[in-house]
Amino acid sequence: MPRIIEVREGILKKNDMLARTLRTRFSDARVSVVSLVSSPGAGKTELLHKTLATLTHTHRVGALVGDLATDRDARRLAQAGVPVQQITTGTVCHLDAHMIAQAIDGWDLASLDLLFIENVGNLVCPASYDLGEHARVVLLSVTEGEDKPLKYPTIFNTADLAVISKIDLADAVGFDKHEAYRNIHEVGPALTVTEVSARTGSGMDGWLQWLRQPLPSRR
Amino acid sequence: MPRIIEVREGILKKNDMLARTLRTRFSDARVSVVSLVSSPGAGKTELLHKTLATLTHTHRVGALVGDLATDRDARRLAQAGVPVQQITTGTVCHLDAHMIAQAIDGWDLASLDLLFIENVGNLVCPASYDLGEHARVVLLSVTEGEDKPLKYPTIFNTADLAVISKIDLADAVGFDKHEAYRNIHEVGPALTVTEVSARTGSGMDGWLQWLRQPLPSRR
């Protein structure tokens, strides 16, 4: 089906060009942009909620939140008292650069230090779409099983940080941490890994420290 | 982007026609076909492993297993001593009817009573692709949160059964069962719900009983 492939490559190329423009805009405005990707239910919103609530004391933070339906996550995040914009994708399984450009239309980017983008819960499709972010963070919850990096390699080897989430449940689910690290490093040998529990606060310091450092600029 | 939409609709229409042909072939061969969909890590493979190991004593069972990469799941399932065929999708985020047709090429369908299809872990894209199955089962693990049906409505309202999985972890994660049922029934008012823990065996009887009944034929 050469026609299909051609069209898909056309979409990706156009997306990448727009993403590059967005990244320049973000950098010019001195706002660092971090995207979060994971399976549904790995804990992106909970982690982001706690992160925004803490960082808002020292940084000017905001968030864009992608979902197929409902604005539940945006409402949850807005409780932290920071600007949050919902992106409802309908049946589309990922965010793309055009959606980001539309969502920030009218925003004064220079009024932010750090902007988070929470993608639709999906370990496959978001891997192919550059959103103009400076760093991509992939979450792997201990409840999902240690094999997920091997089964969804692209999302892990395009990420800048892997966060093992819900670490407080590790014992209850029999999580094998060594195997998880081995699998993450098999697909992303240089990938930094950190562990958090947004619920108990365990590991939050390491995660916040990573966010406060200059973001990777490999893109 | 009308050209893109047109092409996508073309793909779906072709898929649905092929799926209809497959369903007729399955019905003619008197093999019941059940597909499983869920997020990555909701426990499809574990549930299927236990199911095949039990049903193989009374039924002739087989499985097709979709994954982006690796044949880990197929190897796990083959331990049950039943025919298992891996479908490796590469970067494609869902199975389609063409992949199913290719995978069963050369199989004697009449030698099976029950064929399972385990889709790629993804709550979005698989919803749009009819695989020729007689019934679609969606798994929701207690660790994912009760809001997933509202956030991924299509996959729930196109399913014939919702399985709440990892029910043994419900207390550890503070799962609110009533809210989960309410959310499932908000998007699929007539959807049957069952609860299982493949690990402890809790609820397996109800699930196996559902499988042994004549499958829904609403498709």
Side-chain angles (χ1 to χ4, degrees):
Chain A
M1 297 184 292
R3 189 172 158 224
I4 311 300
I5 292 163
E6 198 185 292
V7 172
R8 187 158 182 261
E9 282 178 355
I11 297 171
L12 285 179
K13 203 168 174 186
K14 203 172 155 188
N15 182 78
D16 287 356
M17 282 167 56
L18 180 54
R20 228 167 290 163
T21 311
L22 279 175
R23 188 152 36 244
T24 305
R25 277 180 65 189
F26 292 141
S27 299
D28 288 351
R30 294 180 177 277
V31 51
S32 296
V33 180
V34 177
S35 73
L36 302 179
V37 291
S38 78
S39 314
K44 292 184 294 305
T45 311
E46 181 68 7
L47 177 63
L48 196 45
H49 185 212
K50 296 286 170 68
T51 302
L52 293 173
T54 306
L55 286 180
T56 192
H57 299 297
T58 51
H59 295 66
R60 299 168 304 164
V61 288
L64 307 177
V65 191
D67 267 314
L68 270 70
T70 84
D71 62 349
R72 294 172 70 92
D73 288 358
R75 279 188 281 126
R76 243 170 102 188
L77 293 178
Q79 291 168 5
V82 307
V84 176
Q85 174 78 38
Q86 176 77 40
I87 305 175
T88 305
T89 65
T91 57
V92 178
C93 50
H94 59 270
L95 293 178
D96 63 29
H98 183 66
M99 298 176 196
I100 303 300
Q102 283 191 309
I104 60 169
D105 186 43
W107 281 37
D108 175 17
L109 291 175
S111 72
L112 291 176
D113 299 313
L114 197 49
L115 174 66
F116 292 92
I117 303 174
E118 183 184 337
N119 216 315
V120 173
N122 185 336
L123 277 185
V124 191
C125 318
S128 306
Y129 291 83
D130 186 351
L131 304 179
E133 72 271 61
H134 296 103
R136 182 187 283 174
V137 175
V138 61
L139 273 73
L140 168 68
S141 127
V142 298
T143 65
E144 291 170 55
E146 305 81 359
D147 60 347
K148 294 304 165 288
L150 303 179
K151 293 175 67 181
Y152 303 86
T154 310
I155 202 112
F156 282 86
N157 68 32
T158 57
D160 300 290
L161 177 73
V163 172
I164 301 180
S165 61
K166 305 192 186 181
I167 198 73
D168 57 306
L169 297 174
D171 288 342
V173 299
F175 182 68
D176 183 337
K177 192 186 290 191
H178 296 292
E179 197 191 333
Y181 274 73
R182 194 167 53 237
N183 292 341
I184 290 170
H185 288 134
E186 189 173 325
V187 297
L191 194 54
T192 305
V193 185
T194 194
E195 301 167 18
V196 302
S197 164
R199 188 162 69 162
T200 67
S202 162
M204 285 296 286
D205 285 348
W207 156 245
L208 293 170
Q209 198 182 340
W210 184 85
L211 285 172
R212 289 188 189 108
Q213 286 171 358
L215 293 175
S217 55
R218 56 175 240 194
R219 283 166 201 279
Chain B
M1 296 184 291
R3 189 172 159 222
I4 311 300
I5 292 163
E6 198 184 292
V7 172
R8 186 157 183 262
E9 282 179 354
I11 296 171
L12 285 179
K13 203 167 173 185
K14 205 172 154 187
N15 181 80
D16 286 356
M17 283 167 57
L18 180 54
R20 229 168 290 162
T21 312
L22 278 175
R23 189 153 33 245
T24 305
R25 275 180 66 190
F26 292 142
S27 298
D28 289 349
R30 294 179 178 277
V31 52
S32 296
V33 180
V34 177
S35 73
L36 302 179
V37 291
S38 79
S39 312
K44 291 183 296 304
T45 311
E46 182 67 8
L47 177 63
L48 197 45
H49 185 213
K50 296 285 170 66
T51 303
L52 293 173
T54 305
L55 286 180
T56 192
H57 299 297
T58 51
H59 294 67
R60 300 168 304 163
V61 286
L64 307 177
V65 190
D67 266 315
L68 270 70
T70 84
D71 61 349
R72 294 171 70 93
D73 287 358
R75 279 187 281 125
R76 243 171 102 189
L77 293 178
Q79 291 168 6
V82 306
V84 176
Q85 175 77 37
Q86 176 76 41
I87 305 175
T88 306
T89 65
T91 57
V92 179
C93 49
H94 59 269
L95 294 177
D96 63 30
H98 184 66
M99 297 178 197
I100 303 300
Q102 282 192 309
I104 60 168
D105 186 44
W107 281 37
D108 175 16
L109 292 174
S111 72
L112 290 176
D113 299 314
L114 198 49
L115 174 65
F116 292 92
I117 302 175
E118 182 184 337
N119 215 316
V120 173
N122 185 336
L123 277 185
V124 191
C125 318
S128 306
Y129 290 84
D130 186 352
L131 304 178
E133 72 271 61
H134 296 102
R136 182 188 283 175
V137 175
V138 61
L139 273 72
L140 167 69
S141 127
V142 296
T143 66
E144 291 169 57
E146 304 82 0
D147 60 348
K148 295 302 165 290
L150 302 180
K151 293 174 68 181
Y152 302 86
T154 310
I155 202 112
F156 282 87
N157 70 30
T158 57
D160 301 289
L161 178 73
V163 171
I164 300 179
S165 60
K166 306 193 186 182
I167 198 74
D168 57 305
L169 296 174
D171 288 343
V173 300
F175 182 69
D176 184 336
K177 192 185 290 193
H178 296 291
E179 197 192 332
Y181 274 73
R182 193 167 53 237
N183 292 341
I184 290 170
H185 288 135
E186 189 172 325
V187 297
L191 194 53
T192 304
V193 185
T194 193
E195 301 167 18
V196 302
S197 163
R199 187 162 71 164
T200 67
S202 161
M204 285 297 286
D205 285 349
W207 156 244
L208 292 170
Q209 196 183 339
W210 185 85
L211 285 172
R212 289 188 189 108
Q213 286 171 358
L215 294 175
S217 53
R218 55 175 239 194
R219 282 166 201 280

